[in-house]
Amino acid sequence: MVTAITSRQCRAVLGRLAQTVPVLFGVVVISFLLTRALPGDPAAYFAGAAADADSIEQVRESLGLDKPLPQQFLIYLGDLARGDLGQSISTGQPVASDLASRLPASLELTLMALLLSCCLSIPLGVMAAMRPGSAIDHLCRVVVTAGVSLPTFFTGILLIYIFYYLLGIAPSPLGRLDFIYLEPDRITGFYLIDAAIARDWETWTGALKQLILPAITLALFTLAPIARMTRAAMLTALSSDFIRTARAAGLTERKVLFVYAFRNALLPVVTTLGMVFSFTLGANVLVEKVFAWPGIGSYAVEALVVSDYAAVQGFVLAMAVLFVLLNLCIDLLYTAIDPRIGFDAQ
Amino acid sequence: MLSVRNLAVGFQTRRGFVSAVRKLDLSLDKGEILGIVGESGSGKSVSSYALLRVLDAGGSITAGEIHYSGMDLRAISEKDMRDIRGREISMIFQNPRAALNPIRTVGSQIEDVLRRHAQASSQNAREKAIEALQAVKINDAEKRYHAYPFELSGGMCQRVVIAIALACNPQLLIADEPTTGLDITTQKAVMDLVRDLIRERGMSSILITHDLGLAAQYCDRIMVMKDGEIVEQGEPTSLFSQPSHRYTRKLVDATPREGDSIRALLPPEARTPEPARSLSTDILLDVQDLTKTYQGKSGPVQAVKGISLQIAKGQSVGLVGESGSGKSTTAEMLVRLLDPSSGSIVFNGQDIAGIAADDFARHPLRSDIQMVFQDATDSLNPRHTARQTLAEPLKRLGRLRKRELGSRIEELADLVGLPNHLLNRFPHQLSGGQKARVGIARAIALEPSLLILDEPTAALDVSIQAVVLNLLVDLRARLGMSYLFVSHDLHVVRLLCDHVVVMKGGEIVESADADSLMSNPQHPYTRELLSAAPSPPERRISARV
């Protein structure tokens, strides 16, 4: 019976992935058209300031930009089918390898930030819901409002000023790893994981030290939605009839709170978490700039400024794929939390 | 065993302190079943929550004493109280599906209680939980152990709630409207089960209900509550034959029972003679072989399996069945909100089954077939005043203009007995009975010839149900309407209808004249429905008309 369920779920997952193909194709078309529609001429930029009309034209030809749009699109599609995302004209590297090095940096930062944020906001939300109107409820409100109203670049600079400049306990905010450490062998691209696999605890500590300040900066910004949603969902769950049944049966307050109320409150929290994850990943470019973090956000902005078509398209496509996978994960989580939701029923 | 003296309970609300229960005195002997009867807002549920100290946020006991087996339940610590809950005193609730944790298997929920009160260890918890399920007569208990509440029927869920309550062999069971929302045959099964278990284990019980008939059938003693106070108490038979308090008399009157006329539901002073009405033999609605098939997850589901019925002009037909019988689907098809899969609906000589539900909204016959919906609250737009609600059909279908509109609305309000000053109120500012009146006024605004009533009194207190049913009788005579009255309650249907159709599993099992169906039911299912309805003791006081 167990295997039957898993094979059915596998098929459902594959079916869901197949459904996303048209979406991804739409993303490819739109990102292609939008990059072309933006002002700016990559050929002129690439040819340099001293170039004359002839050399610009030469560069244009070599980039394939002289061809009509439909033909350019077909060539792009053909490249995509081979797994070739093209060449970035600003870094000179293949876009695929740029993304491969920068995406894990962003993911590591975002995930760490969300982890910190959840560790703080979920207990805060639960405690606020247990005693609405109490001191802890007000504290929760103040903390999350402060977190969301301070811009990330400001919090980032403030943290650097205090912990690096004044106290000197944080390393210099210059990227993912101080130059005294060697980069760990690349397996996942996440320094913390790679260093742990290599059992290089010195590097691991170094990477963590670099990570902690930007992660806190981002975490403060994402506290609000998670804490507020946890509070609201817990309040709803705690006022449900089944909580009264559990209390009338004499169950301990801990059991009532965590096994009965909290698990029922998880669903909206997970939904919010997914949304927060997507907007943080896309919007952490300011934090990346402040901490010189080689992430995907700053990469995309730089590429956009110079009309680096391949890089921008690659970025958009990568994000689209990431969101598709994220939504799939959240749907699978739903089914794990709530037996009423059948995955194949959707 | 349990004695309550001078109990007062209040709630801290935004508009200040509200007293819910005052001066409640109550005593319960071992083995006794006490009924507390009252309508909504009487404080009956709040009193029971207070006994177990599980009041909702803001609620508190402000005065009085509660003694249980020598313990002062007001004085003992919360920790000791938790030991008593479920172990000594248990509770079962209304709306059983909501009373169970939706994402935990029923087996685990029973185990939680067993292990909390050290009635089972991790080794034998499963076994004991299955035993508890078997005790409440759940078939295939081992399989049900793994079921989630949403996979079980309402009656099954209530059995699980009972299993949780009785798992640790408590001495006192408090049942708070345990059968509200359940079908009448399920209600009987659940109540019989509870009574048998209580007798078997020598427990005491408090049954809280709005249904005087139910309380009379299952309780040794009944207390009647109104506005937070006990107004009368006594044995069921004496309470019914000699109600001394005005309110009890009103409740006793309003409880439908065999043989009485619809006017007998009202207090004696309001019993005007039933208006005369003309019954014709002309067929108004002729339904032939109507079916409805839904596309379910596991293949097609046939909700209505080819039913045929006729309604003559001025006739009232009752459509009776339990949940899942297809009666609501049938009603929705007849009122043309839902498209039938096959069959014909001939209304006044015109087949309207072929007109798509979406188009029927603009069809000239739309104003001729109207509906009164089940839930008076949910079927009114919360942002529309009563006046706006009534104006809607008059503007859209009646094409009435300003002055005419205003006078017609006031006329309608008079017709349904809604005071004119209430017309500018929003639904939440109206009482249940007033909302029901607005819903009825909206349906009759265009003077339809056929009114379909989908359990219009299911959510109302009995005394209000009595008034609304009588209003419907008056309106029928005045406007010459035909009714299709959909209900699960044969006793209510009998009062209002000339002809009764009984549905089960999407089919009509019996169709007969109301009186002959009640006195001489042919189909076993009809007999089951009739016998399952609680029968209140006979009222010996003369029905003064």
Side-chain angles (χ1 to χ4, degrees), chain A residues 241-242 244-245 247-253 255 259-260 263-264 337-340, chain B residues 49 56 82 85-86 93 98-104 109 112-113 116-117 148 150:
Chain A
D241 283 358
F242 61 85
R244 188 157 57 204
T245 314
R247 288 210 169 116
L251 296 191
T252 54
E253 204 53 33
K255 186 113 187 171
V259 181
Y260 280 71
R263 263 199 67 191
N264 274 284
I337 295 170
D338 192 336
R340 284 169 295 183
Chain B
Y49 298 159
D56 292 332
R82 273 202 288 270
R85 290 184 202 131
F93 300 89
L100 292 172
N101 187 342
I103 58 172
R104 198 163 170 77
Q109 296 190 49
D112 286 342
V113 184
R116 163 69 182 86
H117 295 293
Y148 289 98
F150 75 97

mmCIF file of all heavy atoms in Angstrom, chain A residues 241-242 244-245 247-253 255 259-260 263-264 337-340, chain B residues 49 56 82 85-86 93 98-104 109 112-113 116-117 148 150:
data_model
loop_
_atom_site.group_PDB
_atom_site.id
_atom_site.type_symbol
_atom_site.label_atom_id
_atom_site.label_comp_id
_atom_site.label_asym_id
_atom_site.label_seq_id
_atom_site.Cartn_x
_atom_site.Cartn_y
_atom_site.Cartn_z
ATOM 1 N N ASP A 241 -13.229 24.440 17.672
ATOM 2 C CA ASP A 241 -13.972 23.533 18.545
ATOM 3 C C ASP A 241 -13.097 22.388 19.062
ATOM 4 O O ASP A 241 -13.235 21.955 20.193
ATOM 5 C CB ASP A 241 -15.162 22.931 17.784
ATOM 6 C CG ASP A 241 -16.297 23.922 17.654
ATOM 7 O OD1 ASP A 241 -16.144 25.033 18.182
ATOM 8 O OD2 ASP A 241 -17.317 23.593 17.041
ATOM 9 N N PHE A 242 -12.197 21.896 18.187
ATOM 10 C CA PHE A 242 -11.445 20.704 18.604
ATOM 11 C C PHE A 242 -10.466 21.018 19.732
ATOM 12 O O PHE A 242 -10.059 20.130 20.468
ATOM 13 C CB PHE A 242 -10.746 20.028 17.419
ATOM 14 C CG PHE A 242 -9.746 20.896 16.715
ATOM 15 C CD1 PHE A 242 -8.458 20.988 17.174
ATOM 16 C CD2 PHE A 242 -10.102 21.576 15.572
ATOM 17 C CE1 PHE A 242 -7.533 21.771 16.524
ATOM 18 C CE2 PHE A 242 -9.197 22.360 14.908
ATOM 19 C CZ PHE A 242 -7.904 22.468 15.386
ATOM 20 N N ARG A 244 -11.318 22.918 22.226
ATOM 21 C CA ARG A 244 -12.147 22.770 23.418
ATOM 22 C C ARG A 244 -12.316 21.288 23.775
ATOM 23 O O ARG A 244 -12.258 20.919 24.939
ATOM 24 C CB ARG A 244 -13.500 23.431 23.191
ATOM 25 C CG ARG A 244 -14.319 23.487 24.462
ATOM 26 C CD ARG A 244 -15.352 24.572 24.422
ATOM 27 N NE ARG A 244 -16.224 24.380 23.281
ATOM 28 C CZ ARG A 244 -16.911 25.349 22.697
ATOM 29 N NH1 ARG A 244 -16.817 26.558 23.130
ATOM 30 N NH2 ARG A 244 -17.676 25.100 21.666
ATOM 31 N N THR A 245 -12.503 20.454 22.730
ATOM 32 C CA THR A 245 -12.589 19.015 22.991
ATOM 33 C C THR A 245 -11.334 18.528 23.687
ATOM 34 O O THR A 245 -11.398 17.794 24.677
ATOM 35 C CB THR A 245 -12.759 18.237 21.675
ATOM 36 O OG1 THR A 245 -13.734 18.874 20.892
ATOM 37 C CG2 THR A 245 -13.159 16.799 21.938
ATOM 38 N N ARG A 247 -9.168 20.222 25.431
ATOM 39 C CA ARG A 247 -9.068 20.742 26.804
ATOM 40 C C ARG A 247 -10.040 20.008 27.719
ATOM 41 O O ARG A 247 -9.706 19.672 28.853
ATOM 42 C CB ARG A 247 -9.379 22.239 26.821
ATOM 43 C CG ARG A 247 -8.265 23.047 26.197
ATOM 44 C CD ARG A 247 -8.173 24.430 26.818
ATOM 45 N NE ARG A 247 -6.933 25.073 26.377
ATOM 46 C CZ ARG A 247 -6.906 26.174 25.633
ATOM 47 N NH1 ARG A 247 -8.016 26.778 25.298
ATOM 48 N NH2 ARG A 247 -5.754 26.675 25.252
ATOM 49 N N ALA A 248 -11.271 19.766 27.201
ATOM 50 C CA ALA A 248 -12.276 19.102 28.037
ATOM 51 C C ALA A 248 -11.881 17.661 28.325
ATOM 52 O O ALA A 248 -12.392 17.049 29.249
ATOM 53 C CB ALA A 248 -13.631 19.142 27.347
ATOM 54 N N ALA A 249 -10.974 17.111 27.508
ATOM 55 C CA ALA A 249 -10.512 15.750 27.760
ATOM 56 C C ALA A 249 -9.324 15.754 28.716
ATOM 57 O O ALA A 249 -8.752 14.713 29.014
ATOM 58 C CB ALA A 249 -10.124 15.074 26.456
ATOM 59 N N GLY A 250 -8.934 16.939 29.152
ATOM 60 C CA GLY A 250 -7.882 17.038 30.148
ATOM 61 C C GLY A 250 -6.469 16.995 29.604
ATOM 62 O O GLY A 250 -5.524 16.840 30.374
ATOM 63 N N LEU A 251 -6.312 17.118 28.295
ATOM 64 C CA LEU A 251 -4.956 17.070 27.741
ATOM 65 C C LEU A 251 -4.139 18.244 28.280
ATOM 66 O O LEU A 251 -4.682 19.304 28.577
ATOM 67 C CB LEU A 251 -5.005 17.150 26.214
ATOM 68 C CG LEU A 251 -5.699 15.996 25.504
ATOM 69 C CD1 LEU A 251 -5.448 16.069 24.009
ATOM 70 C CD2 LEU A 251 -5.224 14.658 26.029
ATOM 71 N N THR A 252 -2.823 18.036 28.383
ATOM 72 C CA THR A 252 -1.978 19.084 28.937
ATOM 73 C C THR A 252 -1.917 20.263 27.975
ATOM 74 O O THR A 252 -2.106 20.109 26.774
ATOM 75 C CB THR A 252 -0.542 18.577 29.150
ATOM 76 O OG1 THR A 252 -0.095 18.055 27.913
ATOM 77 C CG2 THR A 252 -0.502 17.506 30.212
ATOM 78 N N GLU A 253 -1.626 21.422 28.532
ATOM 79 C CA GLU A 253 -1.605 22.640 27.726
ATOM 80 C C GLU A 253 -0.555 22.530 26.617
ATOM 81 O O GLU A 253 -0.762 23.019 25.502
ATOM 82 C CB GLU A 253 -1.316 23.832 28.644
ATOM 83 C CG GLU A 253 -1.802 25.168 28.141
ATOM 84 C CD GLU A 253 -3.283 25.194 27.746
ATOM 85 O OE1 GLU A 253 -4.080 24.473 28.383
ATOM 86 O OE2 GLU A 253 -3.639 25.913 26.810
ATOM 87 N N LYS A 255 0.436 19.816 25.025
ATOM 88 C CA LYS A 255 -0.085 18.950 23.964
ATOM 89 C C LYS A 255 -1.124 19.705 23.138
ATOM 90 O O LYS A 255 -1.109 19.666 21.911
ATOM 91 C CB LYS A 255 -0.737 17.724 24.611
ATOM 92 C CG LYS A 255 -1.191 16.700 23.616
ATOM 93 C CD LYS A 255 -0.372 15.453 23.756
ATOM 94 C CE LYS A 255 -0.678 14.473 22.658
ATOM 95 N NZ LYS A 255 0.249 13.367 22.662
ATOM 96 N N VAL A 259 0.570 19.963 19.576
ATOM 97 C CA VAL A 259 0.079 18.874 18.730
ATOM 98 C C VAL A 259 -1.257 19.234 18.094
ATOM 99 O O VAL A 259 -1.507 18.927 16.941
ATOM 100 C CB VAL A 259 -0.044 17.564 19.533
ATOM 101 C CG1 VAL A 259 -0.534 16.443 18.643
ATOM 102 C CG2 VAL A 259 1.298 17.216 20.143
ATOM 103 N N TYR A 260 -2.116 19.915 18.850
ATOM 104 C CA TYR A 260 -3.451 20.199 18.317
ATOM 105 C C TYR A 260 -3.508 21.532 17.592
ATOM 106 O O TYR A 260 -3.948 21.599 16.463
ATOM 107 C CB TYR A 260 -4.504 20.118 19.443
ATOM 108 C CG TYR A 260 -4.882 18.694 19.750
ATOM 109 C CD1 TYR A 260 -3.989 17.846 20.378
ATOM 110 C CD2 TYR A 260 -6.102 18.178 19.360
ATOM 111 C CE1 TYR A 260 -4.298 16.526 20.632
ATOM 112 C CE2 TYR A 260 -6.437 16.850 19.619
ATOM 113 C CZ TYR A 260 -5.517 16.034 20.256
ATOM 114 O OH TYR A 260 -5.841 14.722 20.485
ATOM 115 N N ARG A 263 0.011 22.457 14.737
ATOM 116 C CA ARG A 263 0.052 21.739 13.458
ATOM 117 C C ARG A 263 -1.060 22.218 12.537
ATOM 118 O O ARG A 263 -0.904 22.272 11.328
ATOM 119 C CB ARG A 263 -0.066 20.224 13.686
ATOM 120 C CG ARG A 263 1.290 19.540 13.692
ATOM 121 C CD ARG A 263 1.154 18.053 13.440
ATOM 122 N NE ARG A 263 0.679 17.751 12.103
ATOM 123 C CZ ARG A 263 0.279 16.542 11.730
ATOM 124 N NH1 ARG A 263 0.287 15.560 12.575
ATOM 125 N NH2 ARG A 263 -0.127 16.339 10.501
ATOM 126 N N ASN A 264 -2.193 22.580 13.130
ATOM 127 C CA ASN A 264 -3.275 23.089 12.303
ATOM 128 C C ASN A 264 -2.984 24.495 11.798
ATOM 129 O O ASN A 264 -3.525 24.909 10.786
ATOM 130 C CB ASN A 264 -4.590 23.078 13.081
ATOM 131 C CG ASN A 264 -5.289 21.746 12.982
ATOM 132 O OD1 ASN A 264 -5.875 21.443 11.966
ATOM 133 N ND2 ASN A 264 -5.172 20.940 14.024
ATOM 134 N N ILE A 337 1.390 17.885 5.753
ATOM 135 C CA ILE A 337 0.796 18.474 6.958
ATOM 136 C C ILE A 337 -0.678 18.101 7.075
ATOM 137 O O ILE A 337 -1.155 17.732 8.128
ATOM 138 C CB ILE A 337 0.931 20.012 6.923
ATOM 139 C CG1 ILE A 337 2.403 20.418 6.991
ATOM 140 C CG2 ILE A 337 0.175 20.633 8.086
ATOM 141 C CD1 ILE A 337 2.627 21.877 6.727
ATOM 142 N N ASP A 338 -1.408 18.232 5.963
ATOM 143 C CA ASP A 338 -2.856 18.101 6.028
ATOM 144 C C ASP A 338 -3.346 16.936 5.173
ATOM 145 O O ASP A 338 -3.279 16.996 3.951
ATOM 146 C CB ASP A 338 -3.498 19.405 5.544
ATOM 147 C CG ASP A 338 -4.974 19.448 5.868
ATOM 148 O OD1 ASP A 338 -5.582 18.369 6.018
ATOM 149 O OD2 ASP A 338 -5.525 20.547 5.959
ATOM 150 N N PRO A 339 -3.839 15.878 5.813
ATOM 151 C CA PRO A 339 -4.274 14.703 5.043
ATOM 152 C C PRO A 339 -5.476 14.989 4.159
ATOM 153 O O PRO A 339 -5.770 14.223 3.262
ATOM 154 C CB PRO A 339 -4.649 13.700 6.139
ATOM 155 C CG PRO A 339 -4.966 14.531 7.337
ATOM 156 C CD PRO A 339 -4.051 15.711 7.247
ATOM 157 N N ARG A 340 -6.170 16.125 4.424
ATOM 158 C CA ARG A 340 -7.351 16.414 3.611
ATOM 159 C C ARG A 340 -6.970 16.851 2.212
ATOM 160 O O ARG A 340 -7.760 16.784 1.291
ATOM 161 C CB ARG A 340 -8.168 17.528 4.268
ATOM 162 C CG ARG A 340 -8.953 17.061 5.465
ATOM 163 C CD ARG A 340 -9.511 18.232 6.209
ATOM 164 N NE ARG A 340 -8.434 19.044 6.788
ATOM 165 C CZ ARG A 340 -8.645 20.111 7.538
ATOM 166 N NH1 ARG A 340 -9.857 20.502 7.788
ATOM 167 N NH2 ARG A 340 -7.638 20.784 8.041
ATOM 168 N N TYR B 49 -19.876 24.665 30.232
ATOM 169 C CA TYR B 49 -18.440 24.966 30.109
ATOM 170 C C TYR B 49 -17.893 25.433 31.451
ATOM 171 O O TYR B 49 -16.753 25.114 31.808
ATOM 172 C CB TYR B 49 -18.190 26.051 29.052
ATOM 173 C CG TYR B 49 -18.612 25.673 27.655
ATOM 174 C CD1 TYR B 49 -18.854 26.638 26.695
ATOM 175 C CD2 TYR B 49 -18.755 24.334 27.282
ATOM 176 C CE1 TYR B 49 -19.242 26.302 25.407
ATOM 177 C CE2 TYR B 49 -19.143 23.989 26.004
ATOM 178 C CZ TYR B 49 -19.390 24.970 25.067
ATOM 179 O OH TYR B 49 -19.765 24.630 23.803
ATOM 180 N N ASP B 56 -14.717 30.052 27.087
ATOM 181 C CA ASP B 56 -13.947 30.747 26.058
ATOM 182 C C ASP B 56 -13.263 31.971 26.658
ATOM 183 O O ASP B 56 -13.600 32.397 27.764
ATOM 184 C CB ASP B 56 -14.876 31.197 24.924
ATOM 185 C CG ASP B 56 -15.425 30.010 24.159
ATOM 186 O OD1 ASP B 56 -14.739 28.973 24.128
ATOM 187 O OD2 ASP B 56 -16.530 30.122 23.607
ATOM 188 N N ARG B 82 -7.284 19.641 35.308
ATOM 189 C CA ARG B 82 -6.966 18.883 34.091
ATOM 190 C C ARG B 82 -7.047 17.386 34.328
ATOM 191 O O ARG B 82 -7.368 16.620 33.431
ATOM 192 C CB ARG B 82 -5.582 19.264 33.573
ATOM 193 C CG ARG B 82 -5.613 20.467 32.648
ATOM 194 C CD ARG B 82 -4.393 20.492 31.756
ATOM 195 N NE ARG B 82 -3.193 20.853 32.489
ATOM 196 C CZ ARG B 82 -2.783 22.113 32.627
ATOM 197 N NH1 ARG B 82 -3.463 23.104 32.103
ATOM 198 N NH2 ARG B 82 -1.685 22.382 33.296
ATOM 199 N N ARG B 85 -10.859 16.612 34.216
ATOM 200 C CA ARG B 85 -11.433 16.624 32.868
ATOM 201 C C ARG B 85 -11.049 15.344 32.135
ATOM 202 O O ARG B 85 -9.888 14.986 32.041
ATOM 203 C CB ARG B 85 -10.889 17.796 32.061
ATOM 204 C CG ARG B 85 -11.378 19.127 32.530
ATOM 205 C CD ARG B 85 -10.848 20.219 31.602
ATOM 206 N NE ARG B 85 -10.868 21.493 32.294
ATOM 207 C CZ ARG B 85 -9.840 22.333 32.346
ATOM 208 N NH1 ARG B 85 -8.712 22.040 31.738
ATOM 209 N NH2 ARG B 85 -9.945 23.465 32.999
ATOM 210 N N GLY B 86 -12.034 14.675 31.609
ATOM 211 C CA GLY B 86 -11.756 13.468 30.831
ATOM 212 C C GLY B 86 -11.651 12.229 31.706
ATOM 213 O O GLY B 86 -11.961 11.136 31.269
ATOM 214 N N PHE B 93 -19.699 17.293 22.341
ATOM 215 C CA PHE B 93 -20.070 18.600 21.813
ATOM 216 C C PHE B 93 -20.957 18.495 20.592
ATOM 217 O O PHE B 93 -21.051 17.466 19.948
ATOM 218 C CB PHE B 93 -18.810 19.368 21.421
ATOM 219 C CG PHE B 93 -17.882 19.592 22.562
ATOM 220 C CD1 PHE B 93 -16.909 18.655 22.870
ATOM 221 C CD2 PHE B 93 -17.987 20.718 23.337
ATOM 222 C CE1 PHE B 93 -16.047 18.853 23.928
ATOM 223 C CE2 PHE B 93 -17.133 20.923 24.396
ATOM 224 C CZ PHE B 93 -16.163 19.992 24.692
ATOM 225 N N ALA B 98 -16.275 19.276 13.669
ATOM 226 C CA ALA B 98 -15.391 20.362 14.093
ATOM 227 C C ALA B 98 -14.782 20.081 15.451
ATOM 228 O O ALA B 98 -13.764 20.656 15.812
ATOM 229 C CB ALA B 98 -16.159 21.681 14.124
ATOM 230 N N ALA B 99 -15.410 19.189 16.206
ATOM 231 C CA ALA B 99 -14.918 18.917 17.556
ATOM 232 C C ALA B 99 -13.721 17.969 17.547
ATOM 233 O O ALA B 99 -13.133 17.708 18.588
ATOM 234 C CB ALA B 99 -16.038 18.337 18.413
ATOM 235 N N LEU B 100 -13.386 17.446 16.377
ATOM 236 C CA LEU B 100 -12.221 16.568 16.294
ATOM 237 C C LEU B 100 -11.106 17.280 15.544
ATOM 238 O O LEU B 100 -11.362 18.050 14.607
ATOM 239 C CB LEU B 100 -12.588 15.279 15.546
ATOM 240 C CG LEU B 100 -13.552 14.346 16.270
ATOM 241 C CD1 LEU B 100 -13.989 13.225 15.349
ATOM 242 C CD2 LEU B 100 -12.901 13.778 17.517
ATOM 243 N N ASN B 101 -9.881 17.015 15.960
ATOM 244 C CA ASN B 101 -8.722 17.590 15.280
ATOM 245 C C ASN B 101 -8.685 17.068 13.845
ATOM 246 O O ASN B 101 -8.579 15.863 13.636
ATOM 247 C CB ASN B 101 -7.458 17.174 16.035
ATOM 248 C CG ASN B 101 -6.220 17.872 15.505
ATOM 249 O OD1 ASN B 101 -6.221 18.405 14.407
ATOM 250 N ND2 ASN B 101 -5.174 17.860 16.296
ATOM 251 N N PRO B 102 -8.791 17.963 12.855
ATOM 252 C CA PRO B 102 -8.965 17.500 11.477
ATOM 253 C C PRO B 102 -7.752 16.785 10.905
ATOM 254 O O PRO B 102 -7.887 16.040 9.934
ATOM 255 C CB PRO B 102 -9.258 18.793 10.702
ATOM 256 C CG PRO B 102 -8.702 19.879 11.536
ATOM 257 C CD PRO B 102 -8.837 19.433 12.954
ATOM 258 N N ILE B 103 -6.574 17.016 11.459
ATOM 259 C CA ILE B 103 -5.391 16.443 10.814
ATOM 260 C C ILE B 103 -4.717 15.397 11.694
ATOM 261 O O ILE B 103 -3.530 15.144 11.571
ATOM 262 C CB ILE B 103 -4.382 17.539 10.405
ATOM 263 C CG1 ILE B 103 -3.954 18.355 11.619
ATOM 264 C CG2 ILE B 103 -4.980 18.446 9.355
ATOM 265 C CD1 ILE B 103 -2.825 19.306 11.296
ATOM 266 N N ARG B 104 -5.473 14.804 12.605
ATOM 267 C CA ARG B 104 -4.914 13.739 13.440
ATOM 268 C C ARG B 104 -5.862 12.553 13.332
ATOM 269 O O ARG B 104 -7.074 12.735 13.371
ATOM 270 C CB ARG B 104 -4.835 14.242 14.875
ATOM 271 C CG ARG B 104 -3.901 13.459 15.762
ATOM 272 C CD ARG B 104 -3.591 14.301 17.001
ATOM 273 N NE ARG B 104 -2.891 13.511 17.997
ATOM 274 C CZ ARG B 104 -1.601 13.208 17.927
ATOM 275 N NH1 ARG B 104 -0.882 13.649 16.925
ATOM 276 N NH2 ARG B 104 -1.029 12.473 18.867
ATOM 277 N N GLN B 109 -6.141 10.420 18.510
ATOM 278 C CA GLN B 109 -6.840 11.344 19.402
ATOM 279 C C GLN B 109 -7.377 10.619 20.630
ATOM 280 O O GLN B 109 -7.390 11.168 21.729
ATOM 281 C CB GLN B 109 -7.975 12.050 18.656
ATOM 282 C CG GLN B 109 -7.439 12.927 17.534
ATOM 283 C CD GLN B 109 -8.488 13.829 16.914
ATOM 284 O OE1 GLN B 109 -9.223 14.506 17.598
ATOM 285 N NE2 GLN B 109 -8.539 13.853 15.597
ATOM 286 N N ASP B 112 -4.339 9.868 22.841
ATOM 287 C CA ASP B 112 -3.885 11.038 23.589
ATOM 288 C C ASP B 112 -4.559 11.100 24.951
ATOM 289 O O ASP B 112 -3.913 11.360 25.969
ATOM 290 C CB ASP B 112 -4.217 12.328 22.819
ATOM 291 C CG ASP B 112 -3.305 12.513 21.624
ATOM 292 O OD1 ASP B 112 -2.245 11.857 21.595
ATOM 293 O OD2 ASP B 112 -3.652 13.297 20.725
ATOM 294 N N VAL B 113 -5.873 10.861 24.952
ATOM 295 C CA VAL B 113 -6.627 10.949 26.205
ATOM 296 C C VAL B 113 -6.264 9.789 27.130
ATOM 297 O O VAL B 113 -6.025 9.972 28.328
ATOM 298 C CB VAL B 113 -8.145 10.925 25.915
ATOM 299 C CG1 VAL B 113 -8.920 11.106 27.197
ATOM 300 C CG2 VAL B 113 -8.500 12.011 24.931
ATOM 301 N N ARG B 116 -2.864 10.361 28.540
ATOM 302 C CA ARG B 116 -2.843 11.503 29.448
ATOM 303 C C ARG B 116 -3.306 11.091 30.841
ATOM 304 O O ARG B 116 -2.760 11.519 31.848
ATOM 305 C CB ARG B 116 -3.749 12.600 28.880
ATOM 306 C CG ARG B 116 -4.177 13.678 29.853
ATOM 307 C CD ARG B 116 -2.989 14.557 30.236
ATOM 308 N NE ARG B 116 -3.365 15.578 31.211
ATOM 309 C CZ ARG B 116 -3.375 15.386 32.526
ATOM 310 N NH1 ARG B 116 -3.037 14.207 33.025
ATOM 311 N NH2 ARG B 116 -3.717 16.366 33.341
ATOM 312 N N HIS B 117 -4.328 10.239 30.898
ATOM 313 C CA HIS B 117 -4.876 9.855 32.199
ATOM 314 C C HIS B 117 -4.363 8.489 32.647
ATOM 315 O O HIS B 117 -5.008 7.798 33.425
ATOM 316 C CB HIS B 117 -6.400 9.859 32.153
ATOM 317 C CG HIS B 117 -6.962 11.232 31.918
ATOM 318 N ND1 HIS B 117 -6.846 12.241 32.840
ATOM 319 C CD2 HIS B 117 -7.600 11.773 30.857
ATOM 320 C CE1 HIS B 117 -7.402 13.342 32.356
ATOM 321 N NE2 HIS B 117 -7.870 13.084 31.164
ATOM 322 N N TYR B 148 -9.065 9.653 9.303
ATOM 323 C CA TYR B 148 -9.127 11.051 9.712
ATOM 324 C C TYR B 148 -10.603 11.453 9.803
ATOM 325 O O TYR B 148 -11.435 10.881 9.101
ATOM 326 C CB TYR B 148 -8.412 11.932 8.690
ATOM 327 C CG TYR B 148 -6.919 11.753 8.708
ATOM 328 C CD1 TYR B 148 -6.290 10.925 7.795
ATOM 329 C CD2 TYR B 148 -6.155 12.404 9.650
ATOM 330 C CE1 TYR B 148 -4.919 10.748 7.819
ATOM 331 C CE2 TYR B 148 -4.782 12.232 9.687
ATOM 332 C CZ TYR B 148 -4.172 11.405 8.768
ATOM 333 O OH TYR B 148 -2.825 11.233 8.813
ATOM 334 N N PHE B 150 -12.334 13.697 8.464
ATOM 335 C CA PHE B 150 -13.020 14.037 7.215
ATOM 336 C C PHE B 150 -13.401 12.790 6.414
ATOM 337 O O PHE B 150 -14.195 12.874 5.482
ATOM 338 C CB PHE B 150 -12.156 14.978 6.363
ATOM 339 C CG PHE B 150 -10.990 14.321 5.674
ATOM 340 C CD1 PHE B 150 -11.106 13.916 4.355
ATOM 341 C CD2 PHE B 150 -9.801 14.102 6.340
ATOM 342 C CE1 PHE B 150 -10.045 13.315 3.716
ATOM 343 C CE2 PHE B 150 -8.735 13.499 5.711
ATOM 344 C CZ PHE B 150 -8.860 13.110 4.394
#
